Amino acid sequence: MGTFGSFMKIGIVTGGGDCPGLNAVIRAVAKAATKRGWETLGVIGGYQGLLAPQKYRLLDYKALSGLLVRGGTILGTANRGPFSAKTGHGETRQLPRELFEDTMRGMEQLGIEALVSVGGDGSLTIAHQMHEFGIPIVGVPKTIDNDLAATTMTFGFDSAVACATDALDRLHTTAESHNRVLVLEVMGRYAGWIAIYAGVAGGADVILIPEIPFRYESICAAVTEREKMGKHFTLVIAAEGAKPEGGNFVTSGAQQQNREARLGGIGAAVAEEIEKRTGKETRVVVLGHLQRGGSPTNMDRALCTLFGAEAVELIADKKFGRMVAHTGVTVDSVPLADAIGHLRTVPLDGAFVQAARALGISLGD
Ligand code: F6P
């Protein structure tokens, strides 16, 4: 790798599932780098863009207009292919050394001296493996799931919660008009953050999260209890990773090699069972990729900007192998190794679970 003088050329890569705020991070990194007199190359299509024939674009000031509010990623992203480090239900795969040799060669050909990897558990696991190989890399925590250890908040999460809360608000009025039960299935993989934040913010009556296996009797008791109180409608929010006691995750589509399992379908299962057991007309809405689309919220725009500036600072200080992190108070950094390997799930004794129980919201247990 090149030596560090006052000028540097850095690369930025977005990997894994997209989410609101990726462009805002790209903008912040490129702006902060430009301010230092550096040059930023945006790698196209995830890490694969570093392999020959390399795909990239120059991120000069002109390229950055409008990025703060724009959803998706102008660089494209990938959660499959040779750089896929997660399989099944979150198991980790060590990527071959030759792949990293090719990556290093690609970076050298482009003159990239350090890389910013913007990603979730999968992409940052790859970033950590790259760091161990010797590639100068720093991470920025992205995922709507909010399940990365070592940061109290990932960017994209707040936007996803806003979308799910808006959906609950809309379902509220139609459920009430029709005296129905409405089940909203949201994303989040094996963590219930989106479900519990949106459930509390949107006034759900039942919140089902992977951390608390549910019982159908308990969900139906909540529905009939509300009937007795004269509330003839019920709102249920179910995380895609929620499952009944002793049951398995519900997945959709066949399991593909070297890819993570695709969760989905628990909402329909819950709706069917509620209708069967209570006789209440029940409908299901799967929010799906709506949660990942559109403009980032104010909170995410700010977080992305702080994260991007801190990532450039880490590179300037040659603090490689670290991920920028939100500590709850400020933005700092932690070793990449601390961020991967185990997921940050909703604590059972945490404020959200406690507040939900205090208000009489059913958690299905
Ligand atoms: O990790 C983000 C996420 O949106 C999960 O919440 C969801 O399970 C998964 O990605 C969906 O992935 P895909 O876009 O490949 O269907």
Side-chain angles (χ1 to χ4, degrees), residues 269-289:
V270 168
E272 192 183 322
E273 206 61 33
I274 292 176
E275 185 160 298
K276 201 162 78 193
R277 293 183 186 220
T278 66
K280 290 282 299 175
E281 196 175 25
T282 306
R283 296 281 195 271
V284 61
V285 172
V286 179
L287 201 50
H289 292 81

Side-chain angles (χ1 to χ4, degrees), residues 218-239:
S218 182
I219 299 171
C220 295
V223 174
T224 47
E225 195 56 37
R226 280 176 60 77
E227 283 294 316
K228 279 190 217 143
M229 292 188 309
K231 305 266 192 183
H232 302 295
F233 69 99
T234 297
L235 281 181
V236 180
I237 186 166

